[in-house]
Amino acid sequence: MTVLLAMILDGIFGEPKWLWSRVPHPAVLMGKTVGYIDATYNTGSNRKTKGTVSFAALVIGAYLLGLIITAIPGIWADVIIGAILIAQRSLVDHVN
């Protein structure tokens, strides 16, 4: 039910430019985070260890963020976050 509501919400509103022109989209934040980790830790010696620690930190961070989101009562936080991350309407607009 949550995914269906998220897709309906995304279909109606899409990606609001007024919002994403003021704050970065979560996908952009994810890309910048991975880019920063790559540029900072994927150099020099012990790259494998630094990569393993970076991966573990990303997994733990995602888990903690998931706990915070699921602690919000009701389904509307899940629906809104789902609509933002699904971005189906935006993908269709870009393909067209």
Side-chain angles (χ1 to χ4, degrees):
M1 184 61 147
T2 303
V3 174
L4 178 62
L5 289 172
M7 291 187 76
I8 291 169
L9 187 64
D10 178 59
I12 293 169
F13 295 108
E15 297 290 315
K17 292 182 183 182
W18 61 267
L19 176 62
W20 304 129
S21 64
R22 290 174 174 79
V23 296
H25 191 277
V28 172
L29 289 176
M30 288 183 261
K32 286 184 178 185
T33 302
V34 170
Y36 172 80
I37 290 171
D38 182 45
T40 305
Y41 300 111
N42 196 15
T43 60
S45 60
N46 299 319
R47 287 174 48 199
K48 192 176 281 189
T49 301
K50 291 187 279 187
T52 302
V53 171
S54 297
F55 177 75
L58 288 172
V59 170
I60 291 168
Y63 176 74
L64 293 174
L65 182 59
L67 285 177
I68 291 167
I69 292 168
T70 57
I72 299 170
I75 67 167
W76 290 107
D78 294 340
V79 170
I80 292 169
I81 291 167
I84 291 169
L85 295 177
I86 288 172
Q88 181 65 34
R89 181 172 165 185
S90 177
L91 291 172
V92 170
D93 292 344
H94 286 310
V95 169
N96 287 334

